[in-house]
Amino acid sequence: MFRHLRLKLTVLYAGLFCIALAFIAAGAFAVVNGNSERMVREQLKTTGIVFDRVWQLRFQRLEDSATLSSSDYGFRQAVATADAATLASALSNLRERLDADVVFLVAPEGLVYSPRGLESAPASDQLHAALETEEAPTGVLMIGGALHQAVSAPIYAPNLLGWVIVAERLDAAEMRALERLSAIPLNASAMVRASNGAWVSSEGAAETDTQIDTFIDRTLRAGQGDPDLLAGADGPAMALVKPFRSLDGTASVLMLRYPMALALAPYRALFSTLLAIGIIALCLLVIATWLLARGITQPISTLEEAARRLQAGEHVPVKVRSRDEIARLAESFNAMAAAIQLRERKITQLAFHDSETRLPNRAALERRLVAMLKQPRGFVVVAIGIDRFAHMRGAIGYAHASSFLQQLGVRLTQLAPNAPMARLSNDVLAVALLADNDSEALRRVQGLLANLEQSLRIDEQVVDVNVTIGVAAPEGKAASPGDVIEHASIALDQARAARAKIAFFDKAAYGDPTRNLSLMGDMHRAMDNGEIGLFYQLKMDFRSNTIESAEALVRWRHPRRGMISPDLFVPMAEETGHVRALTEWVLARAVEEQGMLADAGFPLAISVNISGRLVGDRDFAHAALAAVKGARHDLCFEITETAVIDNPEIALENIELFARHGIKIAIDDYGSGLSSLSYLKQMPAHELKIDKVFVQSLVHSQRDALLVRSTIELAHGLGMRVTAEGVETPTTFALLASMGCDMAQGYFVARPAAVGDVIIALGDARRAEAAERAGKASA
C-alpha cells in the first residue's frame, strides 16, 4: 500500500495519535454529557415540583373564586328563579368579576347554562359523574376545542341547585408563563390525545414526531414521574411528563422538555478549543514524524540505490554520517559488497576458465562467438583433438599432462593471435579462425596443423604432438555458438573415424540424431500395436537336408518412415537403454510363435540374438529365463564373442546359467570381431556361426576357404556344431558341405519371412517331398 517508509511511518504515527485523541475526546464528551444529563434531570425534577405547586395554587385560586360565587345570595337567587336572562346576566357578571375565561352552570339534571342562555346540550357523562361523586371536583376540560383548567363549586338554596364551573384556558401564553418560573430555558406544552391516538398540542398544532407519542405512552404506563431522554426529531432532549386529571374524560398531560444541545452549549467552546489543540498537535506530530522518518529512510534509500547498482554489477561504497545502527549496517553492506565483488571475480574466472590448465573453457568461447556471429565476415571453429592423450597422460602423469595442455594452448594463441580459443574437453582444444570460404579455412588449418605438431619440452623431456582436426562453419543466420562448436566436435569424430588429419563437418553423414532418437519414443508403441514383428530365417541341416531350426529377426514397419533397418534402431536401443525391453518382447513373441509352428506340425528350434549389453546383466538373465519358461521346443541364444569382454565374470556366469536351464548357446558372427581362443574355450557354447564376410568370398578366396575349413575343424574339436551365415549360391552351399559344415543359413536356403509365411513354405516343401517320394516309389 505504501511504497515509501517515511510516508508509512508518518501515517502510522498520525493515525495512532488520531486514535488516542479520539479516545480522549470520546471520554471527555461522555463525562460532560453524563454530567449535563444528570444536571438537567435534577433541574427538570425541581421544575416539575414547582409546576405542581403552581398548578395547585391556580386550582386553589379558582376554587376560592368559585366557592365565593356559589355563596353569593344574588347569584343563588338568579339560579333559583331559573330565569334565563337573569341567569345569563349573573354568569356574565361572575365571569367578569372573577376574570375567568369560562364560567357556566351545570344543573342537577345535567343541563348546562352559560352566559348566552340555556344550552340544549347536556353535560358530558364524565363531567356529570364527577360532579355527583365529589363535592367540588377539579381538573381539566376540553371546551370549544381548547384545554382548560377548571374547578367546580356546588350551589345550595338550601337544596342543591347545581354546580358553577370556573375555567381558565391553558394556552401558549399560560405555558410561557410556566416556562418563566424555571431556572432553565425549558419548553412546556399541554398535550391532548387525539381521536387517532396521537398526542397533539392543546393549541391544536399536531406533533409530527411519533417518538413523542411513544415516550408519553411509555411514561404513562410506567406511572413514574422521573425525567428521561427523548430522542426527538430535533435531537435528544430531557423530558418530563405529568398527567392532568380530567373532568370530562379528556386524556391530557403536561410535557416539559429541555434540549440536550442547550445543556452542552456551554461546553462548545471547550470542545472547539480541544479540537484546535488536537489539530495543531497533529500537524506538529506529522511534521516531526516526517522529519524523523526522512532521517531514517534517507540512509536506507542510499543503501537501496547501492544494492540496485550492486545488482547491476557496479560497486559503490555507501557513506552514512551518523554513528547509529544504520551506520553499522552501511559498513556491513560495504564489506559485503567488497566480498561479493571478490567472489564474482573468482566465479567469473572459474566460469570461463578451465580449473586445471587456466585456459578459457567452452562458455568463454561461446561468449566470444556470439559477437563473431554478428560480424559480416565468416569464420570457422576448429576442434583440435590430441591423439592418444589418455595413454600419454598415463605415461607422463596428470601434472605433466596439464602442463602439456597449457603449453599447447599458449602455442595455439601465438599461432592465432586475438582468436578466441578454449579447452572443450580433456583432449580437445578449439579455436575460431576468420575465413570467408572452405578453401581459405583449409589453408589456415593446414598451416595451424604443421605448427602444432612440433614437439614440446616438459621438464627437460621431449614430448611428440599428434593432433586431429575437425572444422565447422556456421550454417545460416540462425546458427548458435553451441551448434558451431558441436559441429566442429562431430567433424573431429568424423576425422578420427576416417583416419584423416583434417575433416570438415559432413551433415549428410551425420544424419538427423533427433529424428533417429524419436524412434525410441515410438518403439514401445510399435511393439504394442504390431508395427514391430518377427521374421524367421530358416537353417538347413547339410546331412539330413531338412529344416530343423530358424533364427528370429526383428523387423519394424513404421507408419510414416516405412521399413526401418535393424542396423539403425537396434544399436540405438542399445545406446539409449531400450534394448532390454525390446529383447524381452522378442523372447516372449518367439516362444508364442514357436508354439504356432509346433501346432502346424513344424517343431523348430528358435534362435534369438542377445545384445552384448545384456549378457552381463544378472537381472536380465533371470527375466529371460522366466520369459522362455513355457517354450515348447529348444531355444538358442546367439551371443557375440565380444559380449563377454566388458564384464567377463558375470557374462560367463549368465551364459552358464542359460546352459544349465537347457538353453543352447551360439557364438554369433565369429571372426568379425576380436576373436579370442581364451573366451572360446571358456564359453559353454553349442554352436558356432561363421560370419558371412568369410562365407560370401569362400569361392574366390583360398585364404577365406582355409580360414573357414580351419574354423569348422576347430569347432568340431570343441564339440560345437557350425552354421555358415550368408549362403546365397549353390556353389557356396556345395563347398561348405564338402568342408563338413553342419548347417547353412542364407538366401539360398530361404529369405526371412513372417511366421505365417514360414508355415506355408514349410507345408509346401513337405508336400513336394511327399510327392517326390511317391513318384520314386511308383517308378
Side-chain angles (χ1 to χ4, degrees):
M1 180 178 179
F2 297 101
R3 299 187 60 185
H4 299 285
L5 181 59
R6 73 180 71 176
L7 180 59
K8 183 177 181 180
L9 290 175
T10 302
V11 172
L12 176 62
Y13 285 116
L16 291 176
F17 179 78
C18 289
I19 292 173
L21 197 62
F23 276 111
I24 294 173
F29 179 79
V31 172
V32 170
N33 190 64
N35 290 334
S36 298
E37 286 186 7
R38 186 167 54 254
M39 180 189 69
V40 172
R41 197 183 301 270
E42 295 298 327
Q43 288 288 341
L44 210 56
K45 279 185 178 182
T46 304
T47 303
I49 295 173
V50 172
F51 281 178
D52 287 341
R53 183 61 179 165
V54 171
W55 186 259
Q56 293 299 326
L57 291 175
R58 287 171 59 85
F59 270 121
Q60 186 64 45
R61 180 178 61 80
L62 290 175
E63 187 176 357
D64 291 343
S65 298
T67 302
L68 182 61
S69 298
S70 63
S71 302
D72 183 75
Y73 177 78
F75 181 73
R76 283 186 297 170
Q77 287 295 111
V79 173
T81 61
D83 180 64
T86 305
L87 183 58
S89 177
L91 290 174
S92 179
N93 293 332
L94 179 61
R95 183 177 65 82
E96 292 177 359
R97 188 173 66 251
L98 297 180
D99 194 20
D101 293 326
V102 176
V103 175
F104 61 92
L105 178 69
V106 178
E109 62 274 15
L111 296 179
V112 176
Y113 295 87
S114 68
R116 297 179 181 178
L118 180 65
E119 299 288 343
S120 59
S124 65
D125 295 338
Q126 291 87 351
L127 176 59
H128 193 261
L131 293 173
E132 288 185 344
T133 304
E134 299 182 33
E135 183 177 357
T138 61
V140 294
L141 286 174
M142 183 64 68
I143 302 173
L147 193 65
H148 291 71
Q149 183 181 8
V151 296
S152 64
I155 303 172
Y156 293 98
N159 296 324
L160 180 64
L161 301 178
W163 296 268
V164 63
I165 306 298
V166 180
E168 289 187 355
R169 186 173 180 176
L170 295 177
D171 55 6
E174 192 66 29
M175 293 297 105
R176 303 296 83 79
L178 290 174
E179 290 173 359
R180 288 192 291 272
L181 296 175
S182 173
I184 56 177
L186 53 79
N187 174 266
S189 59
M191 309 292 293
V192 180
R193 188 188 297 273
S195 58
N196 60 359
W199 290 91
V200 297
S201 174
S202 62
E203 286 81 21
E207 294 284 350
T208 58
D209 196 344
T210 57
Q211 294 181 346
I212 294 178
D213 298 342
T214 304
F215 180 81
I216 295 175
D217 291 337
R218 185 179 68 247
T219 304
L220 294 178
R221 284 194 303 268
Q224 298 178 354
D226 293 333
D228 202 355
L229 278 177
L230 168 63
D234 298 331
M238 190 66 67
L240 177 63
V241 175
K242 302 184 77 62
F244 290 138
R245 180 186 177 186
S246 176
L247 291 179
D248 58 355
T250 300
S252 58
V253 295
L254 174 65
M255 186 172 187
L256 304 177
R257 283 179 292 178
Y258 184 72
M260 292 304 301
L262 295 177
L264 295 175
Y267 300 98
R268 289 176 183 171
L270 173 63
F271 289 141
S272 300
T273 303
L274 290 177
L275 178 61
I277 293 173
I279 293 174
I280 295 172
L282 178 61
C283 294
L284 293 175
L285 177 68
V286 169
I287 294 172
T289 304
W290 179 268
L291 295 176
L292 176 62
R294 188 177 66 175
I296 296 174
T297 57
Q298 187 64 40
I300 296 177
S301 299
T302 304
L303 285 170
E304 180 188 9
E305 178 63 23
R308 188 179 296 110
R309 298 181 67 176
L310 180 64
Q311 182 183 8
E314 303 179 36
H315 176 57
V316 181
V318 179
K319 296 181 180 179
V320 178
R321 296 183 179 87
S322 63
R323 298 180 178 273
D324 53 11
E325 290 84 352
I326 296 179
R328 291 193 291 273
L329 176 62
E331 293 174 359
S332 300
F333 178 84
N334 292 333
M336 178 190 69
I340 290 175
Q341 191 177 32
L342 178 61
R343 283 195 292 271
E344 280 183 349
R345 286 197 295 267
K346 292 181 179 179
I347 291 171
T348 302
Q349 176 70 21
L350 292 174
F352 295 104
H353 290 80
D354 178 57
S355 59
E356 181 182 357
T357 61
R358 303 298 179 185
L359 295 174
N361 59 13
R362 176 170 179 155
L365 178 61
E366 289 184 357
R367 188 168 63 170
R368 295 284 300 275
L369 291 182
V370 171
M372 295 186 69
L373 285 170
K374 298 178 181 179
Q375 295 178 356
R377 189 173 180 185
F379 69 93
V380 293
V381 174
V382 180
I384 305 167
I386 303 170
D387 297 340
R388 298 180 60 81
F389 177 75
H391 295 84
M392 180 186 66
R393 184 173 56 187
I396 67 176
Y398 278 75
H400 289 162
S402 298
S403 178
F404 173 83
L405 288 172
Q406 287 176 344
Q407 292 191 35
L408 191 62
V410 171
R411 177 180 292 178
L412 184 60
T413 303
Q414 293 172 349
L415 294 173
N418 300 322
M421 63 86 59
R423 182 185 181 186
L424 297 184
S425 62
N426 285 338
D427 59 347
V428 179
L429 301 177
V431 64
L433 301 177
L434 295 175
D436 293 326
N437 50 56
D438 290 347
S439 300
E440 184 181 358
L442 180 60
R443 179 178 55 80
R444 295 201 62 182
V445 171
Q446 287 174 341
L448 196 67
L449 177 65
N451 288 281
L452 283 176
E453 288 194 328
Q454 295 180 10
S455 301
L456 289 173
R457 184 173 295 276
I458 308 295
D459 285 349
E460 304 301 328
Q461 299 295 324
V462 177
V463 180
D464 293 335
V465 180
N466 295 288
V467 298
T468 302
I469 295 177
V471 185
E475 295 184 357
K477 297 181 179 180
S480 66
D483 293 338
V484 184
I485 295 173
E486 181 181 358
H487 291 169
S489 300
I490 295 170
L492 174 60
D493 294 337
Q494 291 175 340
R496 285 173 170 171
R499 299 184 182 279
K501 297 296 288 184
I502 300 173
F504 282 79
F505 174 66
D506 189 346
K507 185 176 181 179
Y510 182 59
D512 188 358
T514 304
R515 185 168 180 261
N516 293 335
L517 188 61
S518 66
L519 289 176
M520 296 300 98
D522 297 337
M523 191 177 71
H524 289 282
R525 177 184 55 81
M527 290 188 292
D528 294 335
N529 61 20
E531 294 175 13
I532 292 181
L534 294 183
F535 277 37
Y536 295 90
Q537 189 167 32
L538 302 177
K539 299 179 184 180
M540 178 175 285
D541 190 289
F542 279 104
R543 293 176 179 80
S544 64
N545 202 32
T546 59
I547 303 298
E548 298 180 354
S549 60
E551 180 182 359
L553 304 173
V554 63
R555 294 291 185 267
W556 186 355
R557 184 179 297 277
H558 198 276
R560 296 185 303 275
R561 300 174 61 174
M563 290 298 297
I564 300 177
S565 171
D567 294 336
L568 174 62
F569 71 86
V570 172
M572 290 186 64
E574 290 180 334
E575 294 297 329
T576 58
H578 293 79
V579 69
R580 175 170 175 175
L582 178 62
T583 305
E584 291 178 355
W585 180 88
V586 170
L587 287 174
R589 180 58 63 88
V591 170
E592 178 184 353
E593 294 184 349
Q594 185 186 50
M596 296 171 59
L597 288 167
D599 294 338
F602 306 105
L604 300 182
I606 302 297
S607 299
V608 177
N609 289 280
I610 304 299
S611 171
R613 303 281 180 127
L614 300 176
V615 176
D617 188 342
R618 287 194 176 95
D619 291 337
F620 169 77
H622 294 290
L625 292 176
V628 303
K629 190 174 182 180
R632 305 258 303 263
H633 296 283
D634 290 341
L635 288 175
C636 178
F637 285 175
E638 295 188 5
I639 302 170
T640 61
E641 56 188 331
T642 57
V644 299
I645 293 178
D646 293 337
N647 198 347
E649 294 183 2
I650 299 178
L652 291 174
E653 287 179 7
N654 289 338
I655 292 173
E656 291 176 357
L657 178 65
F658 295 148
R660 287 199 304 270
H661 283 78
I663 299 175
K664 297 185 180 302
I665 304 299
I667 300 176
D668 195 16
D669 299 333
Y670 184 79
S672 63
L674 300 174
S675 301
S676 172
L677 294 177
S678 173
Y679 291 131
L680 191 63
K681 178 185 71 172
Q682 296 180 59
M683 291 176 62
H686 304 84
E687 180 182 344
L688 187 144
K689 301 184 71 174
I690 301 176
D691 191 79
K692 63 182 180 181
V693 175
F694 301 98
V695 174
Q696 290 176 348
S697 60
L698 184 64
V699 178
H700 308 289
S701 173
Q702 291 293 329
R703 184 181 295 272
D704 287 348
L706 178 61
L707 290 174
V708 170
R709 183 184 297 275
S710 300
T711 301
I712 293 174
E713 293 176 355
L714 175 63
H716 286 166
L718 293 175
M720 292 184 287
R721 301 184 71 189
V722 179
T723 298
E725 296 181 304
V727 179
E728 298 181 354
T729 64
T731 305
T732 303
F733 184 84
L735 188 56
L736 287 169
S738 66
M739 291 181 180
C741 187
D742 300 294
M743 289 178 289
Q745 178 181 351
Y747 286 173
F748 178 74
V749 178
R751 289 180 176 272
V755 62
D757 296 333
V758 170
I759 292 174
I760 294 173
L762 291 177
D764 293 343
R766 179 175 292 179
R767 286 189 291 273
E769 289 177 3
E772 185 179 354
R773 286 195 300 271
K776 289 181 179 180
S778 62

